[in-house]
Amino acid sequence: MLIDDATVRNLDLVPGPRAALGVDPSLLAVLDATRTPMGGRKLRTWLLRPLAAAASIHARHEAVAAFCAKRSLLADAREALASVKDLERLIARLGAGGGNPRDVRALGISLDSLPRLTEKLAGAEAPLLTELSEQVRLLPEVVQLIEEAIDEEPAVTLRDGGVIRAGYHAELDELRSAARDGRKWLADFQATEQERTGIRNLKVRHNKVFGYYIEITKSNLEAVPDTYVRKQTLVNAERFITPELKEYENKILGAQDRSRELEGELFTRVRDRIVEHTAAIQQTADAVAALDVLAAFADRALALGYRRPTMTDGYTLHIDAGRHPIIEQMPDAERFVPNDTLLDVLDNQLVLITGPNMAGKSTYIRQVALIVIMAQVGSFVPAKAAEIGVVDRVFTRVGASDDLARGRSTFMVEMQETANILNNAT
């Protein structure tokens, strides 16, 4: 179905520029009960590009009906979906050579939750749900790799260390052990020197200029051993080094540097092995997003009292007790009065609506268009019943504004927009 930009704005299909202020309701906001970022984006795409083939629309309605008929299936599917992160963007970042350790961990958690989703959908009585479930690639080898290689709570960046899980690589474990032993050695060295010299406030410290050094206050300088080599004088203290301290510093810093270097190499290898499955993960992400939207449609249908429309290849549009999906959900809205609609190409080609300002004429016009779009997206609709002949495009001419920059009055703008509809309508 073709929907032009003006119609998208006039019907409030997606949030407009005032959405950030919280004063711009939209059909997307009403229907978006998705559990994943991918599902939210998929829903937006579907709203802007509704289907125009009755068979495809029927398949989506069958899937929504299956969820509605078996609420335990819907609840289980939505619970499983809640554990799935943004697979599309995670694999895109990793594939571009970016992505941090937590992205890899999030990808692993998401893939690990997919078997629960496919198991729940195994008994679904809807061909589209079965088809989408079969498109979900479980990739147990990727899940196992991430589980074995990446720490359960990795650091954000590689330079912080603690990314690769202990036990994954023997050399890395040895380097980490050396670094840990070094820190213990420094603590023991400090205690030993305090006891040997009798200087209780002797401290072993570190900075980027001198590395490890011994700091002693000036009141204790008389007790400094001859083996200490002075490196720096401060206002209240002096700093020293010893051959023993410098020798062990080289071991500690060497282990730490090699540990970080090796950890970076191992992470890159893991990432490269994951990226080999990019096509499968992208396919899975697309299928999961579609399942998420269909489950969201079912959730909204049950919560808001929507009914399944009857789609035909004819030319009849018959809505029984239709409601405006956006207005009826506004917080301060009064009870919405339902309206009927009957249009066809023979006896009911035109509806003429008259009434005073604020009587609801534009609301009624928008309501009919929104119900048709919702039906062709695959959603149930806010009506007691609806028979909808599939349409191939929707045009609107709602509101009035001039275009002074181009020398067009309000009336001329209205006439040109109306002429565009008449020239392009099938």
Side-chain angles (χ1 to χ4, degrees), residues 11-33:
L11 297 181
D12 298 313
L13 293 184
V14 296
R18 297 187 300 165
L21 304 176
V23 293
D24 202 5
S26 66
L27 183 61
L28 176 62
V30 171
L31 295 178
D32 193 0

mmCIF file of all heavy atoms in Angstrom, residues 11-33:
data_model
loop_
_atom_site.group_PDB
_atom_site.id
_atom_site.type_symbol
_atom_site.label_atom_id
_atom_site.label_comp_id
_atom_site.label_asym_id
_atom_site.label_seq_id
_atom_site.Cartn_x
_atom_site.Cartn_y
_atom_site.Cartn_z
ATOM 1 N N LEU A 11 -2.555 11.542 9.589
ATOM 2 C CA LEU A 11 -3.144 10.443 10.349
ATOM 3 C C LEU A 11 -2.373 10.133 11.635
ATOM 4 O O LEU A 11 -2.777 9.245 12.385
ATOM 5 C CB LEU A 11 -3.210 9.177 9.486
ATOM 6 C CG LEU A 11 -4.097 9.257 8.242
ATOM 7 C CD1 LEU A 11 -4.067 7.922 7.500
ATOM 8 C CD2 LEU A 11 -5.529 9.626 8.609
ATOM 9 N N ASP A 12 -1.264 10.848 11.868
ATOM 10 C CA ASP A 12 -0.451 10.611 13.081
ATOM 11 C C ASP A 12 -0.029 9.145 13.176
ATOM 12 O O ASP A 12 -0.142 8.512 14.237
ATOM 13 C CB ASP A 12 -1.224 11.010 14.352
ATOM 14 C CG ASP A 12 -1.571 12.481 14.392
ATOM 15 O OD1 ASP A 12 -0.680 13.293 14.125
ATOM 16 O OD2 ASP A 12 -2.741 12.804 14.673
ATOM 17 N N LEU A 13 0.465 8.604 12.069
ATOM 18 C CA LEU A 13 0.884 7.203 12.085
ATOM 19 C C LEU A 13 2.098 6.991 12.985
ATOM 20 O O LEU A 13 2.186 5.982 13.697
ATOM 21 C CB LEU A 13 1.205 6.729 10.662
ATOM 22 C CG LEU A 13 0.029 6.643 9.684
ATOM 23 C CD1 LEU A 13 0.495 6.066 8.358
ATOM 24 C CD2 LEU A 13 -1.103 5.812 10.258
ATOM 25 N N VAL A 14 3.046 7.921 12.940
ATOM 26 C CA VAL A 14 4.242 7.830 13.781
ATOM 27 C C VAL A 14 4.428 9.165 14.489
ATOM 28 O O VAL A 14 3.886 10.186 14.054
ATOM 29 C CB VAL A 14 5.491 7.491 12.934
ATOM 30 C CG1 VAL A 14 5.361 6.108 12.307
ATOM 31 C CG2 VAL A 14 5.736 8.544 11.858
ATOM 32 N N PRO A 15 5.180 9.198 15.587
ATOM 33 C CA PRO A 15 5.372 10.460 16.310
ATOM 34 C C PRO A 15 5.985 11.537 15.438
ATOM 35 O O PRO A 15 6.848 11.271 14.603
ATOM 36 C CB PRO A 15 6.321 10.060 17.454
ATOM 37 C CG PRO A 15 6.113 8.601 17.625
ATOM 38 C CD PRO A 15 5.829 8.057 16.253
ATOM 39 N N GLY A 16 5.516 12.759 15.636
ATOM 40 C CA GLY A 16 6.028 13.899 14.895
ATOM 41 C C GLY A 16 7.031 14.694 15.713
ATOM 42 O O GLY A 16 7.550 14.210 16.730
ATOM 43 N N PRO A 17 7.313 15.933 15.323
ATOM 44 C CA PRO A 17 8.350 16.735 15.992
ATOM 45 C C PRO A 17 8.033 17.080 17.440
ATOM 46 O O PRO A 17 8.920 17.427 18.203
ATOM 47 C CB PRO A 17 8.431 17.997 15.119
ATOM 48 C CG PRO A 17 7.136 18.034 14.368
ATOM 49 C CD PRO A 17 6.746 16.615 14.157
ATOM 50 N N ARG A 18 6.754 17.014 17.831
ATOM 51 C CA ARG A 18 6.408 17.373 19.212
ATOM 52 C C ARG A 18 6.405 16.172 20.145
ATOM 53 O O ARG A 18 6.033 16.287 21.319
ATOM 54 C CB ARG A 18 5.024 18.031 19.253
ATOM 55 C CG ARG A 18 4.940 19.350 18.485
ATOM 56 C CD ARG A 18 3.597 20.005 18.714
ATOM 57 N NE ARG A 18 2.499 19.144 18.255
ATOM 58 C CZ ARG A 18 1.223 19.341 18.583
ATOM 59 N NH1 ARG A 18 0.883 20.346 19.355
ATOM 60 N NH2 ARG A 18 0.286 18.524 18.123
ATOM 61 N N ALA A 19 6.854 15.018 19.662
ATOM 62 C CA ALA A 19 6.821 13.804 20.481
ATOM 63 C C ALA A 19 7.666 13.948 21.739
ATOM 64 O O ALA A 19 7.329 13.417 22.798
ATOM 65 C CB ALA A 19 7.291 12.613 19.661
ATOM 66 N N ALA A 20 8.802 14.672 21.619
ATOM 67 C CA ALA A 20 9.686 14.841 22.778
ATOM 68 C C ALA A 20 9.010 15.603 23.905
ATOM 69 O O ALA A 20 9.389 15.474 25.072
ATOM 70 C CB ALA A 20 10.968 15.555 22.346
ATOM 71 N N LEU A 21 7.990 16.395 23.574
ATOM 72 C CA LEU A 21 7.273 17.161 24.591
ATOM 73 C C LEU A 21 6.143 16.359 25.218
ATOM 74 O O LEU A 21 5.477 16.838 26.141
ATOM 75 C CB LEU A 21 6.707 18.450 23.968
ATOM 76 C CG LEU A 21 7.719 19.376 23.282
ATOM 77 C CD1 LEU A 21 7.001 20.558 22.626
ATOM 78 C CD2 LEU A 21 8.743 19.875 24.301
ATOM 79 N N GLY A 22 5.908 15.161 24.687
ATOM 80 C CA GLY A 22 4.848 14.315 25.223
ATOM 81 C C GLY A 22 3.461 14.742 24.811
ATOM 82 O O GLY A 22 2.471 14.383 25.460
ATOM 83 N N VAL A 23 3.347 15.521 23.720
ATOM 84 C CA VAL A 23 2.039 16.029 23.292
ATOM 85 C C VAL A 23 1.749 15.633 21.846
ATOM 86 O O VAL A 23 1.022 16.326 21.154
ATOM 87 C CB VAL A 23 1.959 17.571 23.434
ATOM 88 C CG1 VAL A 23 1.989 17.964 24.895
ATOM 89 C CG2 VAL A 23 3.113 18.246 22.675
ATOM 90 N N ASP A 24 2.319 14.529 21.399
ATOM 91 C CA ASP A 24 2.166 14.140 20.003
ATOM 92 C C ASP A 24 1.779 12.664 19.915
ATOM 93 O O ASP A 24 2.599 11.808 19.581
ATOM 94 C CB ASP A 24 3.474 14.396 19.247
ATOM 95 C CG ASP A 24 3.237 14.530 17.744
ATOM 96 O OD1 ASP A 24 2.064 14.513 17.334
ATOM 97 O OD2 ASP A 24 4.216 14.656 17.002
ATOM 98 N N PRO A 25 0.515 12.324 20.245
ATOM 99 C CA PRO A 25 0.099 10.917 20.215
ATOM 100 C C PRO A 25 0.136 10.372 18.790
ATOM 101 O O PRO A 25 0.002 11.110 17.822
ATOM 102 C CB PRO A 25 -1.330 10.960 20.757
ATOM 103 C CG PRO A 25 -1.808 12.346 20.446
ATOM 104 C CD PRO A 25 -0.597 13.228 20.580
ATOM 105 N N SER A 26 0.324 9.068 18.669
ATOM 106 C CA SER A 26 0.430 8.457 17.340
ATOM 107 C C SER A 26 -0.090 7.031 17.397
ATOM 108 O O SER A 26 -0.208 6.427 18.471
ATOM 109 C CB SER A 26 1.879 8.465 16.860
ATOM 110 O OG SER A 26 2.667 7.616 17.673
ATOM 111 N N LEU A 27 -0.383 6.474 16.215
ATOM 112 C CA LEU A 27 -0.804 5.087 16.139
ATOM 113 C C LEU A 27 0.333 4.159 16.575
ATOM 114 O O LEU A 27 0.095 3.138 17.212
ATOM 115 C CB LEU A 27 -1.233 4.755 14.706
ATOM 116 C CG LEU A 27 -1.770 3.336 14.476
ATOM 117 C CD1 LEU A 27 -3.011 3.077 15.318
ATOM 118 C CD2 LEU A 27 -2.076 3.118 12.995
ATOM 119 N N LEU A 28 1.570 4.529 16.252
ATOM 120 C CA LEU A 28 2.714 3.729 16.679
ATOM 121 C C LEU A 28 2.756 3.618 18.196
ATOM 122 O O LEU A 28 2.979 2.536 18.747
ATOM 123 C CB LEU A 28 4.016 4.356 16.158
ATOM 124 C CG LEU A 28 5.317 3.680 16.594
ATOM 125 C CD1 LEU A 28 5.377 2.247 16.095
ATOM 126 C CD2 LEU A 28 6.531 4.457 16.099
ATOM 127 N N ALA A 29 2.506 4.726 18.892
ATOM 128 C CA ALA A 29 2.535 4.701 20.352
ATOM 129 C C ALA A 29 1.436 3.806 20.917
ATOM 130 O O ALA A 29 1.635 3.130 21.933
ATOM 131 C CB ALA A 29 2.398 6.118 20.899
ATOM 132 N N VAL A 30 0.273 3.791 20.272
ATOM 133 C CA VAL A 30 -0.843 2.972 20.741
ATOM 134 C C VAL A 30 -0.533 1.484 20.569
ATOM 135 O O VAL A 30 -0.821 0.666 21.458
ATOM 136 C CB VAL A 30 -2.138 3.336 19.990
ATOM 137 C CG1 VAL A 30 -3.252 2.352 20.319
ATOM 138 C CG2 VAL A 30 -2.566 4.755 20.348
ATOM 139 N N LEU A 31 0.067 1.121 19.434
ATOM 140 C CA LEU A 31 0.275 -0.291 19.111
ATOM 141 C C LEU A 31 1.598 -0.855 19.608
ATOM 142 O O LEU A 31 1.773 -2.075 19.621
ATOM 143 C CB LEU A 31 0.199 -0.489 17.589
ATOM 144 C CG LEU A 31 -1.148 -0.208 16.923
ATOM 145 C CD1 LEU A 31 -1.032 -0.414 15.416
ATOM 146 C CD2 LEU A 31 -2.240 -1.093 17.505
ATOM 147 N N ASP A 32 2.518 0.003 20.010
ATOM 148 C CA ASP A 32 3.861 -0.475 20.325
ATOM 149 C C ASP A 32 3.925 -1.097 21.717
ATOM 150 O O ASP A 32 4.260 -0.439 22.704
ATOM 151 C CB ASP A 32 4.888 0.652 20.210
ATOM 152 C CG ASP A 32 6.315 0.116 20.222
ATOM 153 O OD1 ASP A 32 6.473 -1.113 20.318
ATOM 154 O OD2 ASP A 32 7.257 0.927 20.110
ATOM 155 N N ALA A 33 3.618 -2.387 21.762
ATOM 156 C CA ALA A 33 3.805 -3.175 22.987
ATOM 157 C C ALA A 33 4.926 -4.179 22.762
ATOM 158 O O ALA A 33 4.973 -5.227 23.412
ATOM 159 C CB ALA A 33 2.507 -3.884 23.363
#
